[in-house]
Amino acid sequence: MKLEENPLVEYFQVAIASSLVLFGFDGEELFILLSRKSHEPFKDAYILPGKYVKPSEGNDAVMHELLNERIGVNPDSIYLEQLKAFSKVFRNPLGRVVNIAYYALVKLTPEVKKHSNDFENDWIPYNKIPDLAFDHNDIIIYAKERLKRRVKRRPVGFNLLPEEFTLSQLQALYEKALNRELDKRNFRKKIFNSNLIIETGNQTDPNLYRKVSKLYRFDEEKYEKMTLKGYDFLF
Amino acid sequence: MKLEENPLVEYFQVAIASSLVLFGFDGEELFILLSRKSHEPFKDAYILPGKYVKPSEGNDAVMHELLNERIGVNPDSIYLEQLKAFSKVFRNPLGRVVNIAYYALVKLTPEVKKHSNDFENDWIPYNKIPDLAFDHNDIIIYAKERLKRRVKRRPVGFNLLPEEFTLSQLQALYEKALNRELDKRNFRKKIFNSNLIIETGNQTDPNLYRKVSKLYRFDEEKYEKMTLKGYDFLF
DNA sequence: ACAAAAGTGTTCAACCTACACCCATGT
DNA sequence: ACATGGGTGTAGGTTGAACACTTTTGT
């Protein structure tokens, strides 16, 4: 059917865009990926990475493209979830644009850092997000709250930490995401009691750290269960 | 700017619709409001109540219209929240339609029942939802999960119960929403310890029930706080 | 008399919180 | 020697879960 023949033609004049709040953790700090606008308007301003979505495209497919091409991470190996639609009637002179926002979690390896930087993106510390164009600050606020809830109720470390990690790294992740300090002994008790992690027998490289520490990995089966059902406890 | 001059014209060919999952509680049972389709295709099939949104309209405004006109409840006195966008590339022959779904909670008084029935809507028991057109069953599944989470973490009774209510009604609401039975004594302890409700001094009408019982109301100040911050406990 | 719903306490187990010191290593 | 970060246990309070009987009133 041609658009002109559509009885609801007056409705079919909206565009979809999808923006992504991508959280990355490097073992010490939490970051959010921001894009720098290369053209006017708002040249050099930061925005969330995003794309317009054609009527024939699925949102998920567009997000996968974005992750693959402009960010350099494999979409199948990360956690990706829709946040919600931000659908205020914008002052965008081009027309009504609905932003279907996503959030995702990624291990922040040097390779990912490099690739995403090549595409005019910067990893900005979680607590130092500047003013962004449009309503993108609202989207980030919403995403941070979602992350906080997820961290409290479900395991998220698998998506943000390397295969093998130390308990200190895990704790640092929780502290950054929840924005408060946790007691080391109580944290360890809670994690061990959950049976979520397994000692690998390996240790950190003695050349890198002052003192070696034990490395752990997630019990994937248990992790899957908790991702679906949540913890029995709360952080 | 005219649409034909828009450099992104190929993107501006999407329509927005908004559907509503409206939960109602009558003191005993939880219901969801469904509309009956009066025309082909899918004549007589149930769908969620909803509307198309014009490019110039805000989603919230359209939801308010829907609630006012077709359902007969004052949008300012209920709880209304966006769920998320359902944006699969539909097989809808008219084109790409993004459904920005909402959920809302309402006290199911006889007046509301009557008004919404006048507009080809039926209140269907929560656990007896039939197959719906489009992906509306998916939306309902998502909404039920959202309600469950809200019930566990935040007070929702204020929006679903009459001004004054009995503890048995409150407990019935929690049991229906969570889909499991709760121990009466433990339930009362938990509720009383939260200081969320206040004894009004009134009792149920002796002509209506076998046995009179005490009526309570919410402590609005406390309620507001918990709506923002959540309980300190979980159900 | 019986069916239906209101109301009421205690005990045990599990969990949460607060809290301090020793050890190994690199500088 | 000192600074850094890894690693470990206990005690007290709070909370959650399981559990049964009495009272009132309508039929």
Side-chain angles (χ1 to χ4, degrees), chain B residues 128-140:
Chain B
K128 290 177 187 160
I129 303 298
D131 281 349
L132 307 180
F134 309 111
D135 58 348
H136 288 191
N137 286 101
D138 295 338
I139 299 178
I140 287 185

Side-chain angles (χ1 to χ4, degrees), chain B residues 43-107:
Chain B
K43 188 169 180 328
D44 295 329
Y46 278 119
I47 54 169
L48 288 170
K51 289 188 102 170
Y52 284 93
V53 180
K54 287 184 192 139
S56 58
E57 292 175 319
N59 281 71
D60 294 346
V62 169
M63 270 298 134
H64 283 209
E65 256 178 64
L66 181 68
L67 286 160
N68 256 323
E69 293 165 19
R70 296 220 315 252
I71 302 177
V73 304
N74 177 358
D76 299 318
S77 66
I78 69 167
Y79 184 80
L80 177 67
E81 182 189 7
Q82 192 199 123
L83 285 170
K84 72 163 190 171
F86 291 79
S87 65
K88 278 192 308 189
V89 185
F90 287 128
R91 286 79 53 212
N92 188 325
L94 297 178
R96 177 73 175 276
V97 179
V98 171
N99 194 322
I100 300 181
Y102 283 76
Y103 99 125
L105 308 175
V106 69
K107 307 178 216 286

Side-chain angles (χ1 to χ4, degrees), chain A residues 6 14 55 57 82 85 94 96, chain B residues 6 14 55 57 82 85 94 96:
Chain A
N6 190 324
V14 177
E57 293 175 318
Q82 191 199 124
L94 296 179
R96 177 71 174 278
Chain B
N6 191 323
V14 177
E57 292 175 319
Q82 192 199 123
L94 297 178
R96 177 73 175 276

Side-chain angles (χ1 to χ4, degrees), chain A residues 6 8 10-16 52-55 57-59 82 84-85 87 89 94 96 98 153 234, chain B residues 6 8 10-16 52-55 57 59 82 84-85 87 89 94 96 98 153 234:
Chain A
N6 190 324
L8 296 171
E10 63 174 325
Y11 293 99
F12 280 86
Q13 296 181 16
V14 177
I16 315 173
Y52 284 93
V53 180
K54 288 184 193 142
E57 293 175 318
N59 281 71
Q82 191 199 124
K84 71 163 191 171
S87 66
V89 184
L94 296 179
R96 177 71 174 278
V98 171
R153 302 287 309 151
L234 274 182
Chain B
N6 191 323
L8 296 172
E10 63 174 325
Y11 293 99
F12 281 86
Q13 296 182 16
V14 177
I16 315 172
Y52 284 93
V53 180
K54 287 184 192 139
E57 292 175 319
N59 281 71
Q82 192 199 123
K84 72 163 190 171
S87 65
V89 185
L94 297 178
R96 177 73 175 276
V98 171
R153 301 287 309 150
L234 274 181

Side-chain angles (χ1 to χ4, degrees), chain A residues 151 153-158 161 165 167 170 174 187-199 216-227 230-231 233 235:
Chain A
V151 165
R153 302 287 309 151
R154 299 181 191 174
V156 295
F158 188 67
L161 289 166
F165 52 86
L167 281 177
L170 185 61
Y174 275 81
F187 180 80
R188 284 164 190 244
K189 252 182 296 176
K190 212 170 197 174
I191 296 291
F192 286 135
N193 285 341
S194 75
N195 289 318
L196 186 60
I197 61 172
I198 297 172
E199 209 175 316
Y216 298 85
R217 62 182 172 78
F218 288 102
D219 178 336
E220 286 196 44
E221 201 181 325
K222 188 93 192 186
Y223 194 92
E224 289 299 324
K225 255 185 231 158
M226 285 192 176
T227 302
Y231 294 119
F233 55 87
F235 269 98

Side-chain angles (χ1 to χ4, degrees), chain A residues 70-218:
Chain A
R70 295 218 318 251
I71 302 178
V73 303
N74 177 358
D76 298 319
S77 67
I78 68 169
Y79 184 80
L80 177 67
E81 181 189 7
Q82 191 199 124
L83 286 170
K84 71 163 191 171
F86 290 79
S87 66
K88 279 191 308 189
V89 184
F90 288 126
R91 285 81 53 211
N92 189 326
L94 296 179
R96 177 71 174 278
V97 179
V98 171
N99 194 321
I100 300 181
Y102 283 75
Y103 100 125
L105 308 175
V106 69
K107 308 178 215 287
L108 197 41
T109 59
E111 299 80 54
V112 171
K113 249 184 177 162
K114 183 172 182 320
H115 186 113
S116 44
N117 283 339
D118 287 349
F119 283 78
E120 296 280 323
N121 300 311
D122 291 320
W123 289 96
I124 308 292
Y126 183 81
N127 284 318
K128 289 177 187 160
I129 302 299
D131 282 349
L132 308 180
F134 309 114
D135 59 347
H136 288 189
N137 287 100
D138 295 338
I139 298 178
I140 288 186
I141 289 169
Y142 194 88
K144 284 180 167 181
E145 280 166 10
R146 177 77 62 101
L147 176 65
K148 213 183 253 191
R149 279 210 308 276
R150 288 285 181 267
V151 165
K152 279 186 187 175
R153 302 287 309 151
R154 299 181 191 174
V156 295
F158 188 67
N159 310 284
L160 287 162
L161 289 166
E163 280 294 305
E164 304 198 350
F165 52 86
T166 67
L167 281 177
S168 296
Q169 288 176 326
L170 185 61
Q171 184 174 344
L173 170 59
Y174 275 81
E175 289 183 340
K176 301 294 173 185
L178 296 174
N179 206 24
R180 66 189 169 94
E181 297 197 343
L182 299 171
D183 180 274
K184 193 170 27 162
R185 277 171 294 188
N186 293 338
F187 180 80
R188 284 164 190 244
K189 252 182 296 176
K190 212 170 197 174
I191 296 291
F192 286 135
N193 285 341
S194 75
N195 289 318
L196 186 60
I197 61 172
I198 297 172
E199 209 175 316
T200 64
N202 301 329
Q203 295 189 322
T204 48
D205 182 346
N207 299 319
L208 284 180
Y209 300 98
R210 221 171 271 276
K211 203 177 160 180
V212 298
S213 59
K214 292 180 188 170
L215 287 167
Y216 298 85
R217 62 182 172 78
F218 288 102

